[in-house]
């Protein structure tokens, strides 16, 4: 197929071409050409290394009400928790001992964690673990807040844009959330020198190939260091309870396309991928992913960080998750490494 060759040659396509390519994602020949090229590029820049991030889900309070998400503020059945400073530091200590050199603090948009509280936690983690990278994933904030977190020592920030299409964004989010502000946040984070992660859900209700093409164009424009994508999975207590889940195969296809667009990108094989398919994360690595993010949160809270139904790894200790993932990574010919895992320049 001509488009496949063009993408491999130019590392870019026009929006309409992306949409047409996505329409052909079921074609086994197109799939294998793209995944082969994606793997070639990831090996060129990262060899057989897979980086690992210790994910600390530190609060499931959220002031937002995204229609797809299980911890939305209007889910009265969500059992809310937040970790205190000591509990967060315990997760880091445990993780450091297991070889993690990146910690990801992820949470809902929880007003309890003011700039003051966050900067104190950031400073403490960076003082205790100066050799570790610290990633935040706590949603939309002002430029000034992002600046303060950065000065306190945060290195990276994950904020999926969820969809770059204005009309589709409106179908997934309540009125008070806007794509414009989402994009403003991502640009602010870049300007402040964070390594930035954007990303989107694959197969969110009503999503079209044209909308996914828009996501790819947006990634090209933003040039993020990291991209998180995973299939949409319905949560039984949301307005999308009855919606169909996204496709694992389309997610894998998009992982390959993104690797070709952004050859040096840090690309996780996500938990959502592993939730829909027991071999999903392995398949993700074989499609071009080079990062895994095992959970470091206390086991007693794991189930409560309930973004979607049947989420995996909610019963295992951090050490078990790490071991399990190390085996899975090796089973597909890669190697889980202990290093910060910054993007190559
Ligand atoms: N299915 C899949 N992914 C989801 N997320 C939130 N809800 C769901 C869901 N129902 C993703 C969003 C968010 C990330 C933390 O989890 O993309 O950015
Ligand atoms: Fe968590 Fe396998 S990665 S149990």
């Amino acid at each position: 197929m001509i488009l496949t060759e063009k993408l491999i040659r130019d590392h870019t396509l026009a929006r309409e071409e992306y949409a047409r390519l996505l329409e052909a994602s079921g074609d086994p020949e197109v799939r294998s050409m793209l995944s082969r090229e994606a793997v070639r590029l990831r090996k060129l820049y990262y060899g057989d290394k897979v980086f690992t991030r210790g994910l600390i889900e530190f609060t499931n309070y959220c002031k937002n009400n995204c229609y797809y998400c299980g911890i939305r503020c209007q889910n009265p059945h969500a059992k809310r928790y937040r970790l205190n400073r000591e509990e967060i530091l315990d997760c880091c200590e445990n993780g450091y001992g297991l070889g993690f050199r990146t910690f990801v603090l992820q949470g809902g948009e929880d007003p309890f964690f003011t700039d003051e509280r966050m900067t104190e936690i950031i400073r403490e983690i960076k003082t205790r673990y100066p050799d570790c990278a610290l990633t935040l994933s706590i949603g939309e904030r002002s430029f000034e807040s992002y600046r303060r977190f950065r000065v306190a020592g945060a290195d990276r920030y994950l904020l999926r844009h969820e969809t770059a299409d204005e009309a589709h964004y409106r179908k997934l989010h309540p009125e008070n959330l806007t794509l414009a502000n989402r994009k403003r946040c991502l640009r602010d984070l870049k300007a402040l020198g964070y390594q930035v992660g954007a990303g989107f859900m694959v197969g969110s209700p009503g999503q079209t190939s044209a909308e996914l093409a828009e996501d790819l164009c947006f990634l090209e424009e933003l040039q993020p260091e990291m991209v998180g994508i995973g299939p949409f999975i319905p949560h039984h207590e949301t307005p999308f309870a009855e919606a169909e889940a996204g496709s694992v195969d389309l997610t894998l296809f998009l992982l390959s396309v993104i690797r070709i667009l952004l050859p040096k990108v840090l690309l996780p094989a996500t938990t959502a991928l592993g939730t829909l398919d027991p071999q999903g994360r392995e398949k993700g690595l074989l499609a071009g992913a080079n990062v895994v993010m095992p959970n470091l949160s206390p086991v007693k809270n794991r189930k409560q960080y309930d973004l979607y139904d049947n989420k995996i790894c909610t019963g295992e200790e951090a050490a078990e998750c790490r071991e399990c993932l190390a085996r899975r990574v090796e089973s597909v010919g890669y190697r889980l490494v202990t290093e910060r895992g910054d993007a190559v320049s």
Side-chain angles (χ1 to χ4, degrees):
M1 198 218 198
I2 305 290
L3 278 181
T4 320
E5 282 152 20
K6 189 171 176 204
L7 175 65
I8 290 174
R9 188 189 62 209
D10 300 344
H11 298 263
T12 179
L13 292 177
R15 181 167 325 181
E16 303 70 35
E17 292 176 322
Y18 280 129
R20 265 196 289 137
L21 183 72
L22 287 163
E23 297 289 338
S25 65
D27 181 331
E29 203 173 322
V30 175
R31 299 183 67 82
S32 77
M33 266 180 81
L34 291 182
S35 64
R36 225 177 312 125
E37 177 63 6
V39 166
R40 189 187 72 81
L41 289 167
R42 76 84 78 206
K43 286 196 172 152
L44 178 66
Y45 293 114
Y46 295 101
D48 63 354
K49 288 181 186 176
V50 171
F51 297 132
T52 180
R53 320 297 193 199
L55 182 64
I56 304 169
E57 298 158 334
F58 70 103
T59 172
N60 73 348
Y61 283 85
C62 191
K63 66 178 161 62
N64 290 337
N65 202 31
C66 307
Y67 303 146
Y68 46 84
C69 184
I71 63 169
R72 60 207 297 272
C73 66
Q74 277 181 24
N75 178 3
H77 301 291
K79 268 184 61 197
R80 305 288 171 174
Y81 74 95
R82 53 173 76 93
L83 304 186
N84 62 33
R85 183 175 164 279
E86 270 53 38
E87 291 171 307
I88 294 171
L89 289 165
D90 285 346
C91 292
C92 294
E93 189 181 337
N94 183 16
Y96 193 88
L98 293 168
F100 289 96
R101 293 297 176 269
T102 293
F103 301 119
V104 181
L105 291 183
Q106 182 171 91
E109 292 196 10
D110 180 355
F112 174 85
F113 287 98
T114 56
D115 290 359
E116 288 68 29
R117 290 195 170 107
M118 279 315 299
T119 46
E120 199 207 311
I121 294 166
I122 295 165
R123 260 190 242 107
E124 190 58 35
I125 294 175
K126 289 296 284 192
T127 305
R128 292 195 191 183
Y129 306 102
D131 54 335
C132 292
L134 182 57
T135 307
L136 301 180
S137 180
I138 54 174
E140 297 180 9
R141 299 255 185 159
S142 66
F143 180 91
E144 180 54 18
S145 300
Y146 289 149
R147 196 191 60 77
R148 292 175 69 178
F149 302 157
R150 181 87 184 105
V151 170
D155 303 284
R156 307 183 185 140
Y157 205 103
L158 306 179
L159 184 70
R160 292 188 179 181
H161 61 280
E162 312 296 358
T163 170
D165 182 89
E166 193 64 62
H168 192 50
Y169 198 92
R170 288 271 54 86
K171 289 185 197 147
L172 303 182
H173 301 96
E175 279 296 304
N176 66 322
L177 297 175
T178 66
L179 180 56
N181 194 50
R182 202 74 172 178
K183 290 183 171 174
R184 189 273 303 160
C185 289
L186 286 164
R187 301 216 162 89
D188 284 354
L189 291 162
K190 278 223 122 183
L192 286 162
Y194 284 92
Q195 296 170 41
V196 169
F200 53 91
M201 286 179 293
V202 178
S204 48
Q207 188 182 50
T208 63
S209 301
E211 288 157 0
L212 283 169
E214 193 65 45
D215 288 313
L216 297 172
C217 292
F218 177 66
L219 291 179
E220 243 183 86
E221 179 197 326
L222 182 71
Q223 294 285 316
E225 283 76 16
M226 305 166 286
V227 175
I229 68 164
F232 162 76
I233 303 172
H235 183 288
H236 62 286
E237 281 155 349
T238 63
F240 292 144
E242 304 301 326
E244 227 180 281
S247 148
V248 169
D249 282 342
L250 184 57
T251 307
L252 297 171
F253 186 83
L254 281 157
L255 283 171
S256 299
V257 173
I258 292 167
R259 168 64 61 202
I260 297 169
L261 277 190
L262 302 168
K264 298 176 181 174
V265 76
L266 295 161
L267 197 58
T270 54
T271 305
L273 200 50
T275 295
L276 279 193
D277 180 336
Q279 296 286 309
R281 288 168 297 177
E282 291 88 331
K283 290 178 183 173
L285 295 172
L286 293 172
N290 64 338
V291 173
V292 291
M293 298 175 68
N295 204 313
L296 282 184
S297 315
V299 173
K300 68 175 179 9
N301 301 116
R302 293 266 180 108
K303 279 200 178 26
Q304 291 162 262
Y305 203 78
D306 186 24
L307 307 183
Y308 47 78
D309 289 344
N310 306 314
K311 188 164 169 246
I312 53 169
C313 301
T314 54
E316 284 80 3
E317 291 291 345
E320 296 175 80
C321 261
R322 190 190 145 98
E323 279 317 300
C324 167
L325 265 171
R327 277 194 308 276
R328 289 170 183 271
V329 165
E330 280 165 29
S331 78
V332 286
Y334 292 106
R335 182 167 59 95
L336 197 62
V337 296
T338 301
E339 45 186 279
R340 275 175 55 122
D342 292 294
V344 296
S345 48

